[in-house]
Amino acid sequence: MSSERLAALLDEYAELEKRLADPAIHADQGTARRVGRRYAELVPLHKAAGELEQARADLAAARELVAEDASFAAEAESIAASLPGLEERLAELLIPRDPHDAKDVIVEIKAGEGGEESALFAGDLLRMYTRYAERRGWLTEVIDAQDSDLGGVKDVSLAIKTKGVPEGGNGVWSRLKWEGGVHRVQRVPVTESQGRIHTSAAGVLVLPEAEDVDVTIDPNDLRIDVFRSSGPGGQSVNTTDSAVRITHVPTGIVVSCQNEKSQLQNREQAMRILRARLLAAAQEQADAAASDARKAQVRTVDRSERIRTYNFPQNRITDHRIGYTAYNLDLALAGDLDGVLDALAEADRAARLAGDTELTRR
C-alpha cells in the first residue's frame, strides 16, 4: 500500500474534522454538506488504519511477553494471523474511489421501442426505483414526467436523495450508478389479444446531481423558450406559458420541464437536470481520455444494446454485464434490488482490486 497516500488521506481527515468542529462552517449549509460528505468517506479509512496500527502494536507487545512467558505465544499468533485481513481491508480503502459516490442522483427513464407497452414498462421501472429508494430510507421527487395514455410514462426525471450525510460516503450514486443503459422486458402486453410474448425496451440514464460548485453555467450560453404544458394525447393542461425548454448552446443539450404550475419553478427544475447532464458530459470527456468505461453507459434505446432483461413468463431478471440471473422478478420490481446491485458492487470491487475499471460498465 502507498504510505504517502495513506498519510495524505489521514491528514485530510484530521483537517476536515477540525473544520466540522468550527461552528462557523455551518453558516453555509452547502459547504458544510460537502465537507461532511468527504469526512464521511474518510471515516472507514481512518478506522481501518487505526485498527491496523493497534494490531501491530499489540503484536509487538505480545512478542515481548513471549520472551518472558511462553504462554503468550498463542495470543501473539492470533494477532499475527489477523494482520493480513486488516492490511487487505486498508489496501482496498486506499484504491481511488468514484468521486461521485456520495452524491444524490437524477434518474431519467425514457420509453423506447414497443409503443405503449414500452411506456408501461418505463412506468414499472419508475415504481421499482421509487420503492427501492423507500426501502433505503431515501427521498424521491419527480422533477418532470410525460405520461402515456394507458398510465405509463414516456419520459420521466426522478431525483433520489439521501437524508443527511450518507454513512461512509456511500450515497445514492454508489448504489445506482450501474443502472444506466437499456432495460429490456419480455412479456405479454396488455394490448396483445393473442397472448403472444413481446419484447420492448426502456432507456435509463443515471446522473450524479450536480451542485452549483460542480458546474459553472454562463447565462449567455442558454437559450430559454417557454410553451404551454400538455398532457397525454397532447391536450392542454395549462392555459399559460409555464413550461420551460432550456438549450445549452455550446453542447446542444436540451432540457424541458412542465410539471410545475409556475414558469419559475419549471426553470429551476430544468436547471437542476441541465447541471447534472453537464457534469456527466464533463465526466465522460475525462473518462474517454482515460479509457474509463463510464463512456459505455448506453444513451440509445435499442433492444439489442441491453444491460438487463426482465422476463415475466419465467419471473427472471438477468444482468448481462456480469452474468447475474435470479428468478425473483416480482420482488425486484417491488423494490428488492439489493441482490443484483450487490452482485454489481462486488464485481466492481473485484475489478478495482485487479486494476480493471471496465468490468461492470462494458
Side-chain angles (χ1 to χ4, degrees):
M1 69 184 68
S2 169
S3 58
E4 295 84 2
R5 175 170 168 76
L6 175 59
L9 290 174
L10 291 178
D11 286 345
E12 183 184 359
Y13 173 90
E15 177 60 30
L16 293 172
E17 193 170 43
K18 289 181 183 178
R19 291 185 67 186
L20 288 172
D22 182 357
I25 193 175
H26 299 286
D28 183 342
Q29 289 301 309
T31 299
R33 184 168 55 251
R34 288 191 296 274
V35 172
R37 284 180 175 177
R38 179 56 177 163
Y39 177 79
E41 289 178 8
L42 295 177
V43 165
L45 175 73
H46 179 265
K47 181 180 179 181
E51 289 175 349
L52 179 58
E53 183 180 4
Q54 185 62 54
R56 286 172 173 168
D58 291 345
L59 179 59
R63 283 174 172 169
E64 287 182 7
L65 292 171
V66 169
E68 302 173 4
D69 185 346
S71 66
F72 285 98
E75 182 180 350
E77 289 177 6
S78 176
I79 296 173
S82 72
L83 289 181
L86 293 172
E87 290 170 345
E88 181 180 351
R89 170 62 175 159
L90 184 57
E92 181 180 334
L93 289 169
L94 281 170
I95 297 173
R97 64 183 293 167
D98 188 324
H100 299 313
D101 271 353
K103 287 187 176 293
D104 300 322
V105 305
I106 294 176
V107 179
E108 298 185 1
I109 306 171
K110 299 178 184 296
E113 293 183 8
E116 192 64 45
E117 162 63 5
S118 178
L120 289 170
F121 177 52
D124 291 337
L125 294 178
L126 172 62
R127 284 185 290 275
M128 180 180 76
Y129 291 126
T130 300
R131 289 168 178 169
Y132 180 68
E134 291 171 353
R135 285 170 173 260
R136 303 284 297 194
W138 295 337
L139 303 173
T140 60
E141 173 194 2
V142 174
I143 299 176
D144 194 56
Q146 296 181 38
D147 298 330
S148 70
D149 293 329
L150 296 184
V153 291
K154 298 177 182 177
D155 192 344
V156 62
S157 297
L158 176 72
I160 307 179
K161 299 176 174 288
T162 57
K163 295 178 181 177
V165 175
E167 183 178 352
N170 296 314
V172 183
W173 173 259
S174 71
R175 291 298 285 172
L176 296 185
K177 58 186 172 183
W178 298 289
E179 291 301 287
V182 170
H183 296 238
R184 185 177 67 170
V185 63
Q186 296 172 328
R187 65 183 176 189
V188 178
V190 295
T191 55
E192 169 60 52
S193 59
Q194 302 298 317
R196 294 173 296 187
I197 295 173
H198 286 226
T199 297
S200 60
V204 175
L205 180 61
V206 183
L207 305 169
E209 181 151 14
E211 299 180 46
D212 290 340
V213 297
D214 295 326
V215 178
T216 301
I217 300 177
D218 186 343
N220 295 322
D221 289 339
L222 302 179
R223 185 174 69 245
I224 301 176
D225 303 304
V226 296
F227 56 98
R228 292 187 180 181
S229 301
S230 61
Q235 285 154 8
S236 177
V237 171
N238 222 308
T239 56
T240 61
D241 292 335
S242 61
V244 173
R245 181 185 300 109
I246 299 179
T247 303
H248 186 252
V249 177
T251 61
I253 294 175
V254 180
V255 178
S256 298
C257 274
Q258 61 178 5
N259 258 33
E260 306 296 339
K261 293 183 178 180
S262 86
Q263 188 182 117
L264 178 60
Q265 289 175 315
N266 280 322
R267 176 170 175 161
E268 290 174 350
Q269 299 288 49
M271 287 298 294
R272 286 177 65 186
I273 299 174
L274 178 60
R275 279 193 295 269
R277 289 191 185 178
L278 288 174
L279 178 62
Q283 185 68 49
E284 282 189 350
Q285 290 178 357
D287 288 347
S291 190
D292 188 283
R294 192 179 186 283
K295 64 187 178 182
Q297 188 170 156
V298 179
R299 293 296 187 272
T300 58
V301 188
D302 184 319
R303 284 176 296 186
S304 65
E305 298 183 67
R306 79 256 188 238
I307 63 165
R308 191 175 297 153
T309 295
Y310 304 74
N311 184 291
F312 276 70
Q314 298 177 15
N315 196 36
R316 170 174 56 84
I317 180 171
T318 299
D319 195 287
H320 304 286
R321 294 163 295 181
I322 58 173
Y324 172 93
T325 293
Y327 293 88
N328 62 347
L329 175 57
D330 53 340
L331 297 178
L333 289 174
D336 187 2
L337 283 175
D338 280 331
V340 63
L341 295 181
D342 285 346
L344 285 161
E346 177 57 30
D348 178 68
R349 187 190 72 84
R352 288 188 297 111
L353 285 172
D356 178 6
T357 61
E358 300 197 2
L359 180 65
T360 61
R361 301 282 186 82
R362 278 197 282 260

